[in-house]
Amino acid sequence: SSLDKQLELAKLDIEIAEKKGESVTELLQLEKDILLEKKKTNDYHTIYLKYFLARTAYAKKVTSDYGSDKNRISEYDDIIKLNAAKFDFDWRLIASVIFQESQYDTSAQSWTGAQGLMQLLRETAAKFGDGNLSDPSFNIYAGCSYLSELQNYWTPKITDKNEALKFALASYNVGLGHVLDATRLAEKFGLDPTIWNNNVELMLKNKAEEKYYNDEVVYYGYCKGSEPVFYVKQVVERYKHYANLIE
């Protein structure tokens, strides 16, 4: 919707201002005004928690130590760079994932039990070691390991690296099974199962509708697919933004 787009643009404006060391007070007020309009919709509480509260908390944490002039994004940059390099990821991509997952809060925990900077479940992280998910080094290592595993799954199936990344990010967020369901739906309904935008992402959104989640090619049932679709968009857009500002 128009308000969703305004909200996305306001978020990006805030990030740009923060990186430049400029005041974000007016921009935060603009974001709040947009959210007041969104309050009239059923999705208000989800949006409020996801954007305004998280954004306000993060804005309070930003200091002059980070920004494009300092060539730094967060206090965890060195750990991110170290682990991203191990798996051939651009460290700014991992920074974008971390922001989307936890806003760089090591104590973050979701209702599903996902923990830490990259919001990992214990059973997922256990595949990559027996560390403390509150420890930034282990959490980022395990998160990069998991994202790499997903990237390696999709790369042989999707030759375009940028496309494969979108599928991997969606799988990181909602689980591989739901994304595979969406590719099967895409193929069945005449879309391209190897293209994310306007193809597989549409079918992932459709998995919230009974007609689709009960389809014979769907093995993992209902999914509120708008959430992973939005997740991919935000991570990719923020990654591009970081890449333009930070070396």
Side-chain angles (χ1 to χ4, degrees), residues 58-241:
Y58 177 64
K60 291 178 181 177
K61 292 170 64 178
V62 173
T63 73
S64 59
D65 291 335
Y66 311 109
S68 57
D69 58 329
K70 303 292 193 303
N71 208 39
R72 292 184 65 80
I73 296 174
S74 77
E75 64 185 287
Y76 306 109
D77 285 5
D78 293 339
I79 301 173
I80 297 171
K81 289 177 181 178
L82 177 66
N83 286 284
K86 292 177 182 177
F87 300 97
D88 198 28
F89 285 127
D90 186 325
W91 76 275
R92 295 164 297 187
L93 168 67
I94 303 304
S96 180
V97 171
I98 291 173
F99 178 87
Q100 193 69 23
E101 292 288 350
S102 67
Q103 290 79 49
Y104 308 114
D105 181 0
T106 58
S107 64
Q109 183 164 334
S110 75
W111 66 272
T112 63
Q115 299 178 49
L117 291 173
M118 295 190 72
Q119 288 293 281
L120 293 159
L121 294 170
R122 288 191 180 278
E123 52 266 37
T124 302
K127 296 191 296 181
F128 310 109
D130 185 26
N132 184 345
L133 284 173
S134 296
D135 172 39
S137 294
F138 176 71
N139 194 287
I140 294 172
Y141 167 73
C144 287
S145 299
Y146 183 42
L147 186 59
S148 178
E149 181 180 277
L150 294 167
Q151 180 86 337
N152 290 337
Y153 175 86
W154 286 109
T155 298
K157 298 172 175 58
I158 302 170
T159 54
D160 185 289
K161 186 177 181 180
N162 291 327
E163 284 298 316
L165 174 62
K166 293 173 185 176
F167 282 75
L169 288 169
S171 302
Y172 188 97
N173 177 254
V174 77
L176 179 61
H178 288 301
V179 183
L180 286 169
D181 278 349
T183 64
R184 288 188 288 267
L185 284 169
E187 188 168 16
K188 178 173 181 176
F189 288 94
L191 298 176
D192 191 333
T194 67
I195 300 294
W196 180 256
N197 291 353
N198 300 315
N199 285 270
V200 174
E201 68 169 1
L202 295 181
M203 288 299 139
L204 191 54
K205 286 181 181 179
N206 284 345
K207 269 171 58 72
E209 299 177 20
E210 185 174 3
K211 170 187 173 181
Y212 293 96
Y213 67 71
N214 280 335
D215 193 284
E216 61 182 5
V217 302
V218 171
Y219 304 156
Y220 293 87
Y222 171 86
C223 173
K224 190 175 181 181
S226 59
E227 292 184 354
V229 168
F230 187 76
Y231 175 92
V232 171
K233 182 177 181 180
Q234 287 292 288
V235 170
V236 171
E237 287 186 354
R238 186 179 301 105
Y239 168 40
K240 292 177 181 177
H241 168 62

Side-chain angles (χ1 to χ4, degrees), residues 13-45:
D13 286 342
I14 289 168
E15 289 179 26
I16 291 170
E18 286 171 347
K19 299 303 175 294
K20 292 181 178 179
E22 297 172 354
S23 171
V24 296
T25 303
E26 292 184 4
L27 290 170
L28 284 170
Q29 183 59 50
L30 170 62
E31 187 178 39
K32 186 176 182 181
D33 291 342
I34 296 170
L35 281 161
L36 288 175
E37 289 297 314
K38 289 294 292 184
K39 191 173 183 179
K40 299 171 185 176
T41 73
N42 291 333
D43 291 334
Y44 167 70
H45 291 294

